[in-house]
Amino acid sequence: MFQPRVDISSGRIVGAEALLRWPGSAIGALSPGFFVPAAERMGLAAELDRWVITHIIAAAGRLVAASPQLVLSFNLSGQSLDAGVPAFIRDSLHSLPALAANLEIEVTETSMAHLTPEVETAMAALRSMGTKLAVDDFGMGYASLAYLKRLRAEVIKIDRSFVTDIAHEAIDAQIVEGLIGLARAMGCIVVAEGVENAAQADALQQLGCRYAQGYHFHRPMALADLLQLLEAS
Ligand code: G
Ligand code: MN
C-alpha cells in the first residue's frame, strides 16, 4: 500500500510512503507488527527485507515515470538496519542510479541501537547517491535529537500523537512549533503524520509545516490507484 504525501497548501502529491501489508489472509491484510516477528523467528527477516526493497525500487520506477520529482519513502526497522541492507539497496540501483534521489529511508529511534559504524558507512554511501533519510515518529523517542545529530537526516516526520489535538491543545501546537523551528535551523523538511481533518491541516500550515500525510488527504492505496491519481493531476 502507498500513502501519498502532499503539499498542504495545494494538496499536490509530492511523495508517498510504502506501507507493507501481507495480503490475502483470512482476517484481512496483516500489518508488519504481525508478520515481521514471525519472519524473524523463522530466520527469514533478511529474505523479507530483500523482497520488500526489490518491490519498492520497482514501484519507485513506475511512480517516477508518472511524476519525476516524486519521493517514495519506506520504513527500515531496527532489526533490518544492518550494513547489508543499505548495500543491497545500492546494488539494486546499479542499473538505475538516478532513482536513488527519489528514495527516502524512514528510521525510528528504536533503530538507534543498531546504528553501528558499519551501518552509518553504508547509509552514507546511499546518501552520496541522493537517497534521503527521514526520522519517523519524531518526538516519541528519547534519542530523537541524538539521532538527528548522528544520522544528519534531511526529513523529520512529526508523530501523529502531536497532530491529533493540535487544533485545540496549546501544548501540542507549541511542541510542533518548536519541532518546526528545530527542523528549520537544521535545514530539514518537516512532514506531519496522521492528519485526519481540515482543522489539523490548517493549524499545521499556520505553524509553518509544509508537508503532510493522513486520512484527510489520502488513505493508503494500491500502486495502480496512486499511479492513476498521479496521471490525472
Ligand atoms: O508511524 P508510521 O508512519 O509508520 O505509521 C503508518 C501507519 O499509520 C499505517 O498503518 C497507516 O495506515 C496509518 N495511518 C496513516 N494515516 C493515518 C491517519 O490519518 N490516521 C491514523 N489513525 N492512522 C493513519
Ligand atoms: Mn513511517
Side-chain angles (χ1 to χ4, degrees), residues 17 75 106 136 193:
E17 176 174 359
N75 300 272
E106 299 191 12
D136 204 3
E193 297 183 301

mmCIF file of all heavy atoms in Angstrom, residues 17 75 106 136 193, ligand 2:
data_model
loop_
_atom_site.group_PDB
_atom_site.id
_atom_site.type_symbol
_atom_site.label_atom_id
_atom_site.label_comp_id
_atom_site.label_asym_id
_atom_site.label_seq_id
_atom_site.Cartn_x
_atom_site.Cartn_y
_atom_site.Cartn_z
ATOM 1 N N GLU A 17 4.456 7.125 1.013
ATOM 2 C CA GLU A 17 5.124 6.189 1.920
ATOM 3 C C GLU A 17 4.637 4.785 1.601
ATOM 4 O O GLU A 17 3.429 4.543 1.535
ATOM 5 C CB GLU A 17 4.808 6.528 3.388
ATOM 6 C CG GLU A 17 5.428 5.499 4.346
ATOM 7 C CD GLU A 17 5.273 5.857 5.827
ATOM 8 O OE1 GLU A 17 4.696 6.918 6.138
ATOM 9 O OE2 GLU A 17 5.738 5.054 6.667
ATOM 10 N N ASN A 75 9.996 2.210 5.265
ATOM 11 C CA ASN A 75 10.457 2.068 6.644
ATOM 12 C C ASN A 75 11.459 0.936 6.789
ATOM 13 O O ASN A 75 11.217 -0.171 6.321
ATOM 14 C CB ASN A 75 9.258 1.778 7.556
ATOM 15 C CG ASN A 75 8.227 2.900 7.499
ATOM 16 O OD1 ASN A 75 8.312 3.866 8.235
ATOM 17 N ND2 ASN A 75 7.270 2.781 6.595
ATOM 18 N N GLU A 106 12.976 5.752 5.986
ATOM 19 C CA GLU A 106 12.467 6.194 7.287
ATOM 20 C C GLU A 106 12.986 5.250 8.371
ATOM 21 O O GLU A 106 12.817 4.044 8.277
ATOM 22 C CB GLU A 106 10.925 6.148 7.314
ATOM 23 C CG GLU A 106 10.277 7.053 6.296
ATOM 24 C CD GLU A 106 8.761 7.181 6.538
ATOM 25 O OE1 GLU A 106 8.267 6.769 7.598
ATOM 26 O OE2 GLU A 106 8.092 7.695 5.632
ATOM 27 N N ASP A 136 11.416 8.913 11.557
ATOM 28 C CA ASP A 136 9.987 8.631 11.668
ATOM 29 C C ASP A 136 9.540 8.818 13.125
ATOM 30 O O ASP A 136 10.348 8.707 14.044
ATOM 31 C CB ASP A 136 9.745 7.176 11.236
ATOM 32 C CG ASP A 136 8.328 6.935 10.764
ATOM 33 O OD1 ASP A 136 7.539 7.886 10.701
ATOM 34 O OD2 ASP A 136 8.017 5.767 10.447
ATOM 35 N N GLU A 193 2.439 13.642 10.288
ATOM 36 C CA GLU A 193 1.778 12.356 10.049
ATOM 37 C C GLU A 193 0.402 12.322 10.694
ATOM 38 O O GLU A 193 0.163 12.959 11.716
ATOM 39 C CB GLU A 193 2.580 11.224 10.699
ATOM 40 C CG GLU A 193 3.951 11.011 10.157
ATOM 41 C CD GLU A 193 4.616 9.814 10.840
ATOM 42 O OE1 GLU A 193 4.780 9.818 12.082
ATOM 43 O OE2 GLU A 193 4.959 8.890 10.126
HETATM 44 MN MN MN B 2 6.710 5.602 8.514
#
